Amino acid sequence: MDHMITADTEKRRRWMAVLARAAADEIAGLLATLPPLPAHERLRAPETGLVMVRGRAGGDGAPFNLGEMTVTRCAVRLGDAVGHGYVAGRDKRQAELAALLDAALQDPARRDALMEGVIAPLATRQQAARDAEARKAAATRVDFFAMQTTR
Amino acid sequence: MTMLTAGFADPVLDAQATFRAVLEAVSRPGRIQRAGGALNPPAPLNQAAAAVLLTLADADTPLWLDGGSAAEAWLRFHCGAPVVAQPGAAAFALATGMPPALAALAQGTEEEPQGGATLVLQVSDLAEGEGWHLTGPGIEHEHRLRVTGAPEGFLSAWVANRAGFPCGVDVVLCAGDRLTALPRTVMIAEG
Amino acid sequence: MYVAVKGGERAISAAHAWLEETRRGDASVPELAVAQIEQQMPLAVDRVMAEGSCHDRFLAALAIKQAKGDLIEAAFLLRAYRTTLPRFGASEPLETARMRLRRRISATYKDLPGGQVLGPTFDYTHRLLDFALAAEGEERATGPEASAPVGEAPRVTELLAREGLMQRERDDEAEPGDLTRQPLAFPAERPVRLQNLARGDEGFLLALGYSTQRGYGNAHPFVGEIRVGHVTVEFTPPELGFPIELGEIGITECQMVNQFKGSRTEPAQFTRGYGLVFGHGERRAMAMALVDRGLRARELGEDVTAPAQDEEFVLYHSDNIEATGFVEHLKLPHYVDFQSELENLRTIRKSAEQALPEAAE
């Protein structure tokens, strides 16, 4: 049961984060360019539920319940590895693909190819979209210039 | 983690069937119901206890258990219930061995008696028509129930549990794929 | 005497069929796709998510379509739907300081780290109807991109707190109360109040917030900061034991800065009213922050004199779905109640009439 709260966990957190933000078609499209993965067993079929989203009073104070969000989860077994997908929204296919990739990525023999072929391209696209939005926001930043000082 | 087996094949229908079985069991104390026959939970969990927890326990119900790490991992995964170290903090307590004292579990309050815990107690066998004499709500005259492997001193603890009504603990007894319930209202006399 | 009656099934099913027809409107006009509502009426979607207390853009858009654009009805549909879903647990508290900003403004400092970022706002529009939008085949406008993106920006309240001028928020890491699990009880703690306000009716919050500015509650608020953008939601599945990212949600946060004259234990300083809502909902977040500060009167030892400071009044009446239920239940048959009122009135009249001639004698 002990989890390696280590560099390995951090890597896993990162690929899960990328998969949670990727559409099912995007993941499937990239996966299709690689040798097919063996069949997986569903430990928990994709299931949609809720997570209560919490904020903090004043942004940094005591937690409070803001409201719920839909989340879809799935767990699969691939060989010895159990993969989990927890993704915002209700896309069951995305959750299952995320779980499958989470399982496959735990296998050192498969990891590099999957990181390079699926996770890295997804991460690059996501970063590009974030950058584009942040540049649009930057274009609306106010440059003040002093008029005349009257007083 | 790698030993993890599947939960209900159909989470909705199987949970509904188990819920029905528990409802029947609580409504007719001492009558034996079946649940979880298709499950393959890790030892020492039995099928009925596993089915009851898959059905009733979730992220809103703190769980205490004595079943060891494999059972804990299985229940964490399938129920998502937070596991607590103190029996008194649990909404559901699962005892595969000697259970915590009934009085050590959450009793609820006069205002909120539903806060009383449910003890899911694994025993070696259950049989109707012999053993204890059960009377009370849900029982017309008397139900007989033989519990093999009930913990020592259970009946005297039960008297104390009943005395606290409406507070107290409800018990679900599980053996294999069979279960029965002892709601806090039931009176038990030695058989 | 009580007479049970039934009937109306045929009338009800005919009413449903007509409702469905009117929802669709003129069949010669193309049907609205849910994705169109989601994309082109995003602020309606945001309001329904906030008041429905469930973040799911598609479901909110579908609810708006089904409710014929009645946003309270849509929030009701969303609340009803969410009860059918299991809850996996609660997220880690959002780190709004790390928000991916689309908009961030402060009315208290002109120059502040991160700057004033206007984002896609109505603020500087002239509120003139744009008939170009009515013409088909409008040209797609795009916002220009600067060469350097905006980054994270520190909170304004933190800048003040570092100087000791802003009261720090307390965090005892207590498990917050949850209105979806336990009914409202008084006195209500701030986490419960904030949950209630976050899903409260925007119109009600707006009117109450406005009242605090107009003298009912003696508030002198400044917008310390409004930020709109996306935050990452992290959740720790019990089977994993470490937090993972579920994705990002759109959010609006408002920090209102208010004077506090101080007390025996605390020096005079600024205090916060806080607003946090799903989606882009600035009016809503600001109103929430004003009312939150009003409701802190008791905790700050201020006189409770105004409606916005009265937590029973505010919290019991903020929920538009509850309010709709109780107001609209008056439409249900009250034939028997009313019959007894009628008889009561007739009896009073009759005895008054009998009494009259006697009095005249």
Side-chain angles (χ1 to χ4, degrees):
Chain A
M1 273 306 288
D2 280 351
H3 299 288
M4 301 159 288
I5 308 294
T6 57
D8 274 357
T9 305
E10 197 45 47
K11 272 185 205 151
R12 190 170 174 201
R13 268 170 46 80
R14 205 162 306 148
W15 73 57
M16 290 177 91
V18 169
L19 291 165
R21 289 172 170 83
D25 282 345
E26 272 187 292
I27 305 173
L30 290 166
L31 204 51
T33 63
L34 301 174
L37 292 171
H40 61 277
E41 179 199 346
R42 278 182 177 181
L43 279 178
R44 177 162 56 208
E47 168 191 29
T48 297
L50 298 165
V51 164
M52 175 56 89
V53 179
R54 288 188 173 160
R56 287 185 181 282
D60 52 6
F64 71 96
N65 292 306
L66 173 64
E68 289 160 315
M69 66 188 280
T70 53
V71 172
T72 301
R73 67 180 177 183
C74 178
V76 303
R77 186 210 307 280
L78 188 72
D80 284 342
V82 174
H84 293 274
Y86 271 86
V87 301
R90 286 168 304 105
D91 189 339
K92 295 187 169 167
R93 193 161 148 254
Q94 182 200 359
E96 183 153 16
L97 283 165
L100 171 63
L101 275 159
D102 180 46
L105 281 156
Q106 290 173 52
D107 177 358
R110 292 198 176 95
R111 184 176 300 165
D112 287 351
L114 288 170
M115 286 301 286
E116 196 181 314
V118 181
I119 303 299
L122 289 175
T124 306
R125 285 180 209 170
Q126 290 167 9
Q127 189 56 46
R130 281 195 287 265
D131 281 349
E133 188 177 89
R135 280 196 301 272
K136 278 185 190 171
T140 68
R141 182 158 30 209
V142 179
D143 295 320
F144 288 103
F145 47 90
M147 303 294 281
Q148 195 179 354
T149 312
T150 54
R151 212 176 29 154
Chain B
M1 243 352 228
T2 52
M3 296 303 293
L4 213 52
T5 56
F8 283 138
D10 185 325
V12 174
L13 294 182
D14 293 347
Q16 281 178 356
T18 305
F19 184 83
R20 186 74 220 176
V22 174
L23 186 64
E24 282 291 318
V26 176
S27 312
R28 295 170 177 76
R31 291 279 186 259
I32 292 172
Q33 314 293 330
R34 286 180 182 271
L39 288 173
N40 181 23
L45 267 182
N46 69 32
Q47 291 173 319
V52 168
L53 290 171
L54 286 186
T55 302
L56 299 180
D58 65 16
D60 289 331
T61 57
L63 173 69
W64 177 90
L65 76 166
D66 67 355
S69 66
E72 182 176 323
W74 194 83
L75 289 169
R76 257 187 214 278
F77 173 72
H78 288 296
C79 304
V83 173
V84 293
Q86 293 304 320
F92 290 98
L94 166 72
T96 59
M98 184 66 189
L102 294 182
L105 296 170
Q107 305 288 310
T109 60
E110 294 274 338
E111 232 173 30
E112 296 183 334
Q114 72 273 20
T118 300
L119 171 65
V120 178
L121 179 57
Q122 294 196 173
V123 294
S124 23
D125 197 22
L126 294 168
E128 281 181 19
E130 52 187 306
W132 294 345
H133 301 264
L134 271 50
T135 52
I139 301 172
E140 190 172 8
H141 301 294
E142 173 183 284
H143 286 172
R144 304 288 305 274
L145 178 70
R146 177 170 304 286
V147 181
T148 311
E152 212 171 306
F154 183 80
L155 288 191
S156 56
W158 190 256
V159 171
N161 187 54
R162 265 208 88 244
F165 186 84
C167 302
V169 172
D170 307 301
V171 176
V172 180
L173 298 166
C174 298
D177 66 346
R178 288 140 45 85
L179 64 87
T180 189
L182 302 174
R184 64 191 78 167
T185 49
V186 79
M187 282 168 282
I188 311 175
E190 194 93 48
Chain C
M1 188 179 65
Y2 178 73
V3 185
V5 291
K6 60 180 284 182
E9 289 93 337
R10 203 168 41 85
I12 290 169
S13 76
H16 284 172
W18 199 11
L19 172 71
E20 185 51 25
E21 184 189 334
T22 58
R23 185 192 62 69
R24 176 61 181 84
D26 185 344
S28 66
V29 176
E31 187 187 349
L32 259 181
V34 173
Q36 288 174 308
I37 298 174
E38 188 194 329
Q39 289 297 312
Q40 297 172 38
M41 305 190 84
L43 300 183
V45 167
D46 288 343
R47 181 167 177 183
V48 169
M49 293 196 303
E51 292 175 6
S53 200
C54 182
H55 190 287
D56 187 307
R57 304 197 64 82
F58 180 89
L59 290 180
L62 176 62
I64 291 168
K65 178 171 177 174
Q66 185 180 334
K68 302 167 72 173
D70 179 337
L71 300 187
I72 294 181
E73 181 73 17
F76 193 170
L77 291 170
L78 193 54
R79 287 246 190 123
Y81 181 80
R82 63 154 282 282
T83 65
T84 66
L85 298 175
R87 187 187 286 179
F88 299 151
S91 79
E92 306 297 322
L94 299 177
E95 287 197 46
T96 53
R98 306 206 51 204
M99 190 184 296
R100 211 149 59 63
L101 296 169
R102 288 164 75 89
R103 170 166 169 80
R104 187 277 195 124
I105 54 165
S106 169
T108 52
Y109 294 103
K110 178 166 69 72
D111 299 306
L112 73 170
Q116 308 269 1
V117 177
L118 302 182
T121 178
F122 288 125
D123 283 358
Y124 310 97
T125 63
H126 297 113
R127 267 70 183 216
L128 298 174
L129 271 179
D130 180 2
F131 288 93
L133 288 177
E136 302 217 5
E138 57 180 294
E139 269 187 45
R140 185 171 167 78
T142 48
E145 290 182 19
S147 51
V150 294
E152 287 172 13
R155 288 176 206 285
V156 169
T157 49
E158 181 57 28
L159 303 177
L160 285 164
R162 271 187 220 148
E163 289 185 59
L165 297 173
M166 168 63 75
Q167 188 186 51
R168 288 270 180 201
E169 296 289 349
R170 277 185 295 271
D171 177 17
D172 50 10
E173 287 301 330
E175 189 65 11
D178 182 356
L179 291 172
T180 68
R181 293 294 188 267
Q182 298 103 23
L184 200 53
F186 296 98
E189 294 303 313
R190 191 161 177 223
V192 168
R193 301 198 303 251
L194 288 169
Q195 182 183 13
N196 176 289
L197 298 177
R199 53 192 240 158
D201 181 74
E202 184 167 319
F204 180 79
L205 296 178
L206 179 65
L208 276 176
Y210 182 38
S211 75
T212 67
Q213 290 177 272
R214 289 197 64 264
Y216 292 86
N218 202 27
H220 301 283
F222 294 88
V223 170
E225 188 173 14
I226 290 172
R227 37 175 80 201
V228 183
H230 289 90
V231 281
T232 296
V233 184
E234 287 198 284
F235 172 66
T236 303
E239 66 271 23
L240 281 176
F242 58 85
I244 58 171
E245 296 181 9
L246 301 175
E248 294 180 13
I249 60 172
I251 214 108
T252 305
E253 182 186 54
C254 173
Q255 303 265 11
M256 285 283 181
V257 176
N258 290 61
Q259 269 285 356
F260 173 51
K261 62 183 187 319
S263 67
R264 277 187 199 153
T265 51
E266 291 197 73
Q269 58 190 323
F270 292 118
T271 55
R272 283 176 240 195
Y274 187 65
L276 184 68
V277 299
F278 283 149
H280 188 169
E282 235 162 283
R283 183 193 302 126
R284 175 180 193 81
M286 292 174 75
M288 174 174 170
L290 291 172
V291 179
D292 171 50
R293 180 58 184 80
L295 292 176
R296 297 184 67 193
R298 174 171 53 86
E299 140 202 3
L300 295 171
E302 297 166 342
D303 292 337
V304 175
T305 55
Q309 296 168 321
D310 180 337
E311 62 178 22
E312 287 203 28
F313 178 77
V314 174
L315 302 183
Y316 267 145
H317 302 115
S318 60
D319 193 294
N320 57 25
I321 290 157
E322 250 174 53
T324 298
F326 203 54
V327 169
E328 295 204 14
H329 103 280
L330 293 172
K331 294 183 294 192
L332 294 172
H334 284 69
Y335 308 143
V336 177
D337 301 21
F338 189 66
Q339 196 65 37
S340 86
E341 296 267 321
L342 260 182
E343 276 171 29
N344 200 10
L345 189 61
R346 288 197 178 113
T347 315
I348 295 170
R349 282 269 181 101
K350 199 181 277 175
S351 51
E353 281 161 15
Q354 282 166 352
L356 267 180
E358 284 165 28
E361 279 169 8

